[in-house]
Amino acid sequence: MAEPVTIAVPKTKPYRAPSRLRSLLTEPKVLFGGGFILLLIVIAILAPFIAPKDPLEQDLMLGSLPPAWLEGAEPGYYLGTDDLGRDVLSRLIYGSRIALLVAFVSASLAALIGTVLGLLAGWYGGWTDRIVSRIVDIWMAFPPVLLSILLVAVFGSGVHSVIAAIVIIDWTRFCRVVRAETLAQAQLDYVTAARTVGFPRMTILTREIFPNIVPVLIALVSLEMGIAVVVEAILSFVGLSVSSDTPTWGGMIAQGRQLIHHAWWLLVAPLAVLFATVLAFNQFGSGLRRALDPVLRR
């Protein structure tokens, strides 16, 4: 009688999906964009300790000094001074506080309002969808920049007015995207299975559909933060943001535009910081979506 033949089956390690933290740390856009934003947050928080000068201190004898690497510079004024003798670097550092405050608060509130309305419109449909969609269509018919200027002019100048204007305008952006994503997710098999099992509609919406649109929502929030920074700069440029004494990037750009012929650094410095900040928010959002979305990660 022949002995039974034993076949050795090689052991295979169970497949483990890459952790979200590993995916984030291996995404270049998250590293560079998030690193720049984190650095900007630290600078804004520690502005009183980092800024070399008082951003409001004036010295007309030191007006329009060039940056440290140009001829005629003064020690301690690394990016030069404006026409009133105020340190440009210190004003840039303090200006980051206004920019980040407006970006984070306005984007969060706009995302909250737009996401709630978009989820309800896309999931429940019917008269809820019709009412929300019509409001969004009417609201988006107005030019956003002109509407923001009008709202700030009505509310009065100040950070709170700028934040309110951005939220009132840009919640529609989140509402349309979330509604479309909700409609798409509602047609998939996992939602049909949840309905068949007997899950309540609100449970399906909050526990099944919403987690699957979070990657898109995160990317949109990051993009909205960049837009909010630009809107605040525009309102500061036309003098409708905070008071003229408070350092803002838009106010510095407006001042530098008038002195571009003999003090170009007054315009280039805030423009460069504004461009880098908006680019960082955009890249960070794109990287987060790619790292968190299982479909894009394949």
Side-chain angles (χ1 to χ4, degrees):
M1 181 176 180
E3 296 182 357
V5 179
T6 303
I7 301 176
V9 179
K11 296 182 179 180
T12 58
K13 295 181 179 181
Y15 172 75
R16 294 181 179 179
S19 64
R20 292 186 176 183
L21 180 60
R22 186 186 308 172
S23 300
L24 291 175
L25 294 178
T26 55
E27 179 60 45
K29 292 183 179 180
V30 173
L31 294 178
F32 290 106
F36 184 87
I37 295 171
L38 181 61
L39 176 63
L40 203 61
I41 293 174
V42 173
I43 290 175
I45 295 175
L46 302 179
F49 307 99
I50 296 177
K53 307 288 182 180
D54 184 346
L56 301 180
E57 182 181 356
Q58 301 181 14
D59 189 347
L60 298 180
M61 299 299 294
L62 299 176
S64 300
L65 289 177
W69 60 87
L70 296 179
E71 184 179 357
E74 287 286 336
Y77 295 94
Y78 303 103
L79 293 181
T81 62
D82 60 10
D83 57 331
L84 298 178
R86 297 174 296 189
D87 183 50
V88 173
L89 177 59
S90 299
R91 293 179 65 80
L92 283 175
I93 292 174
Y94 274 86
S96 65
R97 288 185 154 190
I98 301 296
L100 292 181
L101 175 63
V102 172
F104 282 101
V105 176
S106 61
S108 300
L109 293 177
L112 177 62
I113 297 173
T115 300
V116 171
L117 294 177
L119 286 171
L120 295 177
W123 179 238
Y124 287 99
W127 63 268
T128 304
D129 187 21
R130 288 193 292 270
I131 292 176
V132 173
S133 298
R134 294 297 80 76
I135 294 176
V136 170
D137 291 339
I138 294 172
W139 212 245
M140 297 192 72
F142 297 97
V145 175
L146 295 180
L147 183 57
S148 62
I149 294 176
L150 176 62
L151 290 173
V152 173
V154 172
F155 295 154
S157 60
V159 177
H160 297 87
S161 300
V162 174
I163 292 174
I166 296 174
V167 172
I168 292 174
I169 294 171
D170 283 349
W171 69 269
T172 55
R173 191 191 317 274
F174 291 92
C175 186
R176 293 190 69 177
V177 173
V178 171
R179 173 186 174 273
E181 288 293 327
T182 303
L183 288 172
Q185 294 291 328
Q187 306 301 320
L188 299 181
D189 294 338
Y190 76 92
V191 175
T192 304
R195 284 174 171 172
T196 304
V197 172
F199 286 175
R201 299 193 68 182
M202 185 57 67
T203 301
I204 298 175
L205 180 62
T206 56
R207 295 186 180 181
E208 302 293 334
I209 294 179
F210 178 70
N212 286 286
I213 66 174
V214 166
V216 177
L217 188 60
I218 290 176
L220 193 59
V221 169
S222 298
L223 178 62
E224 177 60 28
M225 288 181 182
I227 294 174
V229 171
V230 173
V231 172
E232 192 282 325
I234 293 174
L235 295 176
S236 298
F237 183 86
V238 298
L240 291 177
S241 182
V242 297
S243 62
S244 57
D245 294 336
T246 304
T248 60
W249 294 343
M252 296 179 67
I253 293 173
Q255 181 188 24
R257 183 181 63 87
Q258 301 174 358
L259 305 172
I260 183 63
H261 296 293
H262 68 277
W264 54 266
W265 56 89
L266 298 180
L267 179 63
V268 172
L271 275 177
V273 174
L274 179 64
F275 176 81
T277 302
V278 175
L279 180 63
F281 275 119
N282 292 346
Q283 293 300 304
F284 183 62
S286 177
L288 281 178
R289 183 183 179 187
R290 183 177 181 84
L292 298 178
D293 194 330
V295 177
L296 296 177
R297 202 168 57 229
R298 291 175 181 174

